[in-house]
Structures are given as structure tokens and as C-alpha cells.
């Protein structure tokens, strides 16, 4: 059972599939940091469409609906509830993260890769791109460099391709993740927005997509 009295909810869906496109997967470590922050603010995280992830279950407020013995109709009803009633959503590039936008529920897209040909059209969404290290340049690429033609091979979803061309894909830096969660708290009324701290929510490491969503990277 799950007790939602006096709690606001945040839906979560993480891609953790072991296949040839694992560069698209989200980091459990980063998800755990976000879950702990939500728990500290009095929220309840409800995971949908995701197999059991034990490292997240150690956090008291994560409720994984995949553990419930439900038929297809019941499971889809729960997912619709979470997608539509969440204060905001935390997701990754996977089908289970797209529906909240239909209900005007903003999403933090965690550890997004690739970014060159994927854009999220909802202005309230926040995208946290993966970090990309170039062995040829001996440094992490900037957001602009990572999305340039010169580094097009770093945008592959397949680790054997990115490794072959001299790139390492790593989860987003949680400095940007912590910033994203604070912005989302303010946008959704969990925290009062302080205009005096406006400068803390806008800097050179933010990239506004032509189609809408804000990209934050470090």
C-alpha cells in the first residue's frame, strides 16, 4: 500500500534496458539524488513502467508500481494517474516519460543522450544532457561542441560506436541536476520563487532549445 495523505507526488520512469543502445540509459545514482531531495521536501516518488531497481528501493519514498500484481487495465490506470496527477515528472528517453506532457506536467529529462537530433518541445521541461569526454581533445566537450558536425560520432546511442571514435558518455553532473530540481520546485509551487535569486537560475550553461525545453549542462 501507499499513503499519499499530505504528500505531493512525482512520477518517475527510467530507461535501464541492457541492449545496444545503453548510452540512452539513465543513471540510478543521479535518480537517487533527486529522489532523496523530493523525500526531504515532503514528496512521494512513484515509479511507472520500470523493472525493479533495488538501489532506489532503499530510499523510503520510492514506490515502484512494477511490483504490484495487476492486470494490464489496472496497470494502465495507475500509470494514467501518475502521469496526470504528478507535480512534475522525472524521466529518460523512453516511451514511459512522454505522456506527462499531455497533461501539462513538466518533466526533468535525466541523463539525456543523444541531444543533436532529439528536442523536447515543452518549454517547462528541463533537460540534463550526459557529459561527453573526448579522448582526442583530453577534455569534456561543451554542449555546443557535442552537438556540432565535427563531433557527430559522439551522438551515437551505441557505446561501441562512441568508444571507437574516442568518446566516453557519462551521466549528467548533478550540479546541473540540483539546479534543475530547484527550478522545478519553484515552477510547480513547492518552493517560493525569490526574485532576488533570479540570477542563480540563469547562466551561460543553459541552452534554450528552438522548440522549447531548457537544457542545463556543466
Amino acid at each position: 500500500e501507499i499513503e499519499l495523505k499530505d504528500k505531493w507526488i512525482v512520477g518517475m520512469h527510467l530507461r535501464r534496458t541492457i541492449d545496444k543502445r545503453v548510452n540512452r540509459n539513465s543513471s540510478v545514482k543521479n535518480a537517487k539524488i533527486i529522489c532523496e531531495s523530493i523525500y526531504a521536501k515532503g514528496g512521494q516518488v512513484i515509479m511507472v513502467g520500470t523493472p525493479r531497481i533495488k538501489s532506489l528501493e532503499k530510499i523510503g519514498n520510492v514506490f515502484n508500481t512494477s511490483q504490484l500484481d495487476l492486470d494490464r487495465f489496472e496497470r494502465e490506470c495507475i500509470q494514467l494517474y501518475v502521469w496526470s496527477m504528478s507535480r512534475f515528472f522525472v524521466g529518460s528517453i523512453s516511451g514511459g516519460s512522454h505522456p506527462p506532457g499531455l497533461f501539462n506536467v513538466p518533466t526533468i529529462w535525466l541523463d539525456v543522450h543523444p541531444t543533436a537530433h532529439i528536442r523536447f518541445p515543452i518549454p517547462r521541461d528541463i533537460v540534463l544532457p550526459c557529459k561527453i569526454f573526448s579522448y582526442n581533445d583530453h577534455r569534456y566537450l561543451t554542449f555546443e561542441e557535442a552537438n556540432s558536425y565535427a563531433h557527430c560520432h559522439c551522438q551515437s546511442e551505441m557505446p561501441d560506436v562512441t568508444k571507437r571514435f574516442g568518446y566516453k558518455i557519462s551521466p549528467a553532473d548533478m550540479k546541473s541536476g540540483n539546479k534543475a530540481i530547484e527550478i522545478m520546485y519553484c515552477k510547480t509551487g513547492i518552493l517560493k520563487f525569490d526574485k532576488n535569486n533570479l540570477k542563480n537560475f540563469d547562466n551561460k550553461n543553459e541552452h534554450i532549445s528552438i522548440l522549447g525545453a531548457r537544457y542545463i549542462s556543466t
Side-chain angles (χ1 to χ4, degrees):
E1 296 183 1
I2 181 172
E3 177 58 61
L4 296 179
K5 184 179 180 181
D6 300 325
K7 285 189 176 289
W8 43 273
I9 69 171
V10 173
M12 177 176 281
H13 175 80
L14 300 180
R15 186 185 194 277
R16 296 293 300 167
T17 306
I18 305 302
D19 57 12
K20 293 182 179 180
R21 302 187 298 166
V22 296
N23 280 348
R24 293 178 60 176
N25 285 355
S26 294
S27 161
V28 170
K29 181 179 179 181
N30 281 353
K32 185 175 180 180
I33 292 172
I34 290 178
C35 288
E36 289 174 339
S37 175
I38 293 168
Y39 179 68
K41 292 290 190 298
Q44 170 72 59
V45 177
I46 302 179
M47 298 186 69
V48 296
T50 303
R52 188 170 182 171
I53 304 176
K54 293 183 179 180
S55 54
L56 281 180
E57 290 167 0
K58 295 177 182 178
I59 308 171
N61 73 319
V62 176
F63 186 83
N64 193 336
T65 61
S66 70
Q67 300 175 30
L68 301 176
D69 183 17
L70 304 172
D71 61 31
R72 180 175 178 177
F73 176 76
E74 292 170 328
R75 189 169 300 282
E76 290 180 351
C77 286
I78 285 183
Q79 290 181 152
L80 280 171
Y81 178 84
V82 174
W83 287 331
S84 62
M85 299 302 293
S86 292
R87 188 68 67 92
F88 60 92
F89 200 84
V90 179
S92 52
I93 304 181
S94 186
S97 296
H98 292 282
L102 297 173
F103 303 99
N104 199 33
V105 173
T107 295
I108 294 178
W109 296 86
L110 184 62
D111 302 321
V112 170
H113 186 86
T115 55
H117 61 280
I118 295 178
R119 288 293 182 266
F120 303 90
I122 301 176
R124 297 177 73 202
D125 287 3
I126 299 176
V127 182
L128 300 177
C130 285
K131 298 186 299 180
I132 302 177
F133 186 85
S134 169
Y135 289 105
N136 294 328
D137 297 297
H138 307 289
R139 61 178 175 82
Y140 284 101
L141 301 179
T142 65
F143 182 84
E144 289 77 15
E145 289 173 331
N147 287 272
S148 68
Y149 179 78
H151 293 282
C152 62
H153 294 105
C154 79
Q155 291 292 317
S156 175
E157 301 172 343
M158 298 184 288
D160 58 334
V161 174
T162 50
K163 183 178 180 180
R164 187 193 324 151
F165 285 94
Y167 300 101
K168 178 183 178 182
I169 312 302
S170 300
D173 190 316
M174 280 312 291
K175 290 181 180 178
S176 58
N178 290 331
K179 180 177 181 180
I181 195 76
E182 291 296 318
I183 292 174
M184 196 61 78
Y185 287 154
C186 291
K187 283 186 173 183
T188 57
I190 296 168
L191 293 180
K192 183 178 180 181
F193 188 80
D194 187 350
K195 292 183 178 180
N196 294 325
N197 293 326
L198 181 62
K199 61 183 180 180
N200 295 329
F201 293 89
D202 189 19
N203 64 31
K204 64 181 180 179
N205 292 323
E206 293 189 14
H207 314 271
I208 306 301
S209 166
I210 295 176
L211 295 179
R214 170 184 293 182
Y215 289 65
I216 301 179
S217 62
T218 56

